[in-house]
Amino acid sequence: MDIKRREFIGSALAGSAIGLPFASGAEKDPTGGGTKEQFYRTEDEVVIERPASGKPHAGKVLAAIQPHVDDIAIFASGTVAKLINEGYTGYLIRTTNDEMAGAGTTGETVLHNEIDNEAVAKVLGLKKTFNLEYRNHCLDSEPIQDFRGRLILLFRLLKVDTVLCYDPWGLYEENPDHYVTAKMVEAACWMAGMEKDYPEQLAAGLTPHGVREKYYFARGPQLVNRVVDISSTIDRKVAANVAIVAQGPGGNAGARLRQSLAAKGQRLPILGDDDETANRQYIKHLVLDYDSQASRGVPSDREVGHKYGLEWAEPFHYIGPPESKLDQYIAEHKTSL
Ligand SMILES: [Zn+2]
């Protein structure tokens, strides 16, 4: 349904004032506009972010922020792994306690998700996790000043430069944990850089520190202006999803499918001959690709990549710091007194 919805909106905008053609350029949409029909967007360029050599992000800090244990793994872990490879120090912030998703009693469910969350951080090379532990499915009734203030404290404490999270303007998002977290993150990003907000934090020794870059992902239509090449980190993305067994589309699902087919005297060659291989292959080829729409509610990472000449890719609404033209204007127009 999401694909149809995106196609409808895209085609409705094609050729209109806001369905602008892609600009040319080696790093910008080499397919010449192949995604117009797929994503709702209003910008005239889609930037392709490719793997960088060396550690261009050394000294920078990112926060991967998720309401639930599986959100980053499902939608953005290829990009998180890529940015960590390129020098970022990373943290994982989980805003709920995941008590509503998973087997066992409520207490067991919370514990299982907590264990999985630590495993995701380890797989992705993130330095530490912070669990805000708000009640699962209840974020729309939590005190937002408290929630936002805690995020601001973390951004100032960790000196976060870059966040990855749900898109606060993503359409048709049904989960309050997703859209409330997204809106709190968006507000906290700029408010953390102000000098009067939450003054008790400043009195305690923290200094203002605004977030400069944002990678927003969504389950429904969104403005996509950046596609990240995750071909070199796709197997880390698979591993992150294998690590989540309490809930989500990954975990041991491949092994379960392999065993259920075997009980009927059948096998899928792509799942291999052991459970470990089955879990990895199921996520890579079914959850992230062939059955992506049913498994995750978004198009296949492989298909998104192929539209841009890439093997695997993740789409984002990216917001970076605006470039000032003031220095250029002064250089071109200054006169002597
Ligand atoms: Zn979620």
Side-chain angles (χ1 to χ4, degrees):
M1 282 182 68
D2 278 346
I3 283 181
K4 287 177 183 168
R5 190 159 60 220
R6 289 181 182 201
E7 285 177 346
F8 170 77
I9 294 173
S11 60
L13 292 173
S16 73
I18 53 175
L20 295 170
F22 288 100
S24 59
E27 294 301 310
K28 289 164 185 173
D29 189 29
T31 64
T35 60
K36 275 207 302 287
E37 71 280 7
Q38 181 136 15
F39 299 113
Y40 172 51
R41 59 183 177 74
T42 57
E43 297 193 4
D44 61 353
E45 292 182 350
V46 173
V47 171
I48 299 175
E49 182 178 321
R50 300 176 187 278
S53 58
K55 304 288 183 188
H57 298 302
K60 293 170 70 178
V61 175
L62 71 80
I65 305 170
Q66 58 181 2
H68 314 119
V69 66
D70 57 350
D71 298 311
I72 288 291
I74 290 172
F75 297 111
S77 54
T79 299
V80 170
K82 172 187 176 294
L83 295 176
I84 295 296
N85 284 350
E86 295 168 0
Y88 268 98
T89 296
Y91 297 92
L92 184 60
I93 299 173
R94 185 174 57 129
T95 59
T96 80
N97 65 357
D98 278 306
E99 68 186 307
M100 298 294 183
T105 66
T106 299
E108 289 166 345
T109 303
V110 170
L111 176 60
H112 295 159
N113 279 293
E114 183 181 308
I115 291 169
D116 288 356
N117 198 59
E118 294 300 318
V120 169
K122 190 174 179 184
V123 167
L124 296 178
L126 300 172
K127 189 174 179 181
K128 182 175 171 54
T129 63
F130 291 90
N131 297 296
L132 303 190
E133 306 285 10
Y134 290 110
R135 304 261 335 242
N136 197 181
H137 295 176
C138 299
L139 269 185
D140 49 350
S141 63
E142 295 287 354
I144 59 174
Q145 287 282 354
D146 174 76
F147 186 4
R148 193 168 65 210
R150 294 176 75 187
L151 290 171
I152 289 170
L153 187 146
L154 285 171
F155 293 169
R156 287 169 169 172
L157 175 70
L158 304 173
K159 300 195 182 307
V160 173
D161 300 298
T162 301
V163 295
L164 300 96
C165 188
Y166 276 104
D167 190 337
W169 300 283
L171 301 175
Y172 300 102
E173 175 53 63
E174 65 186 5
N175 192 316
D177 295 348
H178 292 178
Y179 57 73
V180 172
T181 294
K183 290 191 183 305
M184 291 303 100
V185 167
E186 172 65 9
C189 282
W190 62 267
M191 217 176 280
M194 303 294 281
E195 295 185 351
K196 289 189 169 66
D197 289 275
Y198 298 88
E200 65 278 11
Q201 296 179 8
L202 305 175
L206 299 177
T207 53
H209 184 91
V211 173
R212 292 171 57 80
E213 293 183 84
K214 297 169 264 192
Y215 292 76
Y216 289 140
F217 53 86
R219 299 198 293 180
Q222 71 171 150
L223 188 160
V224 170
N225 61 0
R226 179 167 296 223
V227 170
V228 179
D229 180 357
I230 61 163
S231 305
S232 64
T233 54
I234 183 65
D235 289 333
R236 294 267 292 290
K237 180 169 189 173
V238 169
N241 282 280
V242 168
I244 303 166
V245 295
Q247 61 170 298
N252 297 316
R256 289 197 301 272
L257 177 60
R258 178 173 164 273
Q259 288 158 14
S260 69
L261 290 171
K264 294 184 278 189
Q266 301 169 340
R267 72 183 289 269
L268 277 176
I270 201 170
L271 297 180
D273 297 315
D274 61 82
D275 288 349
E276 197 177 316
T277 304
N279 288 335
R280 283 200 314 270
Q281 292 286 89
Y282 177 83
I283 292 166
K284 186 169 186 174
H285 297 290
L286 293 166
V287 174
L288 300 181
D289 184 14
Y290 188 81
D291 204 27
S292 177
Q293 198 67 46
S295 299
R296 308 186 293 160
V298 295
S300 150
D301 286 356
R302 197 177 57 80
E303 289 177 10
V304 171
H306 282 191
K307 289 181 183 295
Y308 293 90
L310 307 171
E311 195 176 356
W312 298 88
E314 289 172 340
F316 294 95
H317 177 194
Y318 169 85
I319 301 173
E323 286 183 33
S324 173
K325 295 179 180 176
L326 180 59
D327 288 344
Q328 183 184 340
Y329 186 87
I330 292 172
E332 292 175 356
H333 297 87
K334 68 186 175 188
T335 61
S336 300
L337 286 172

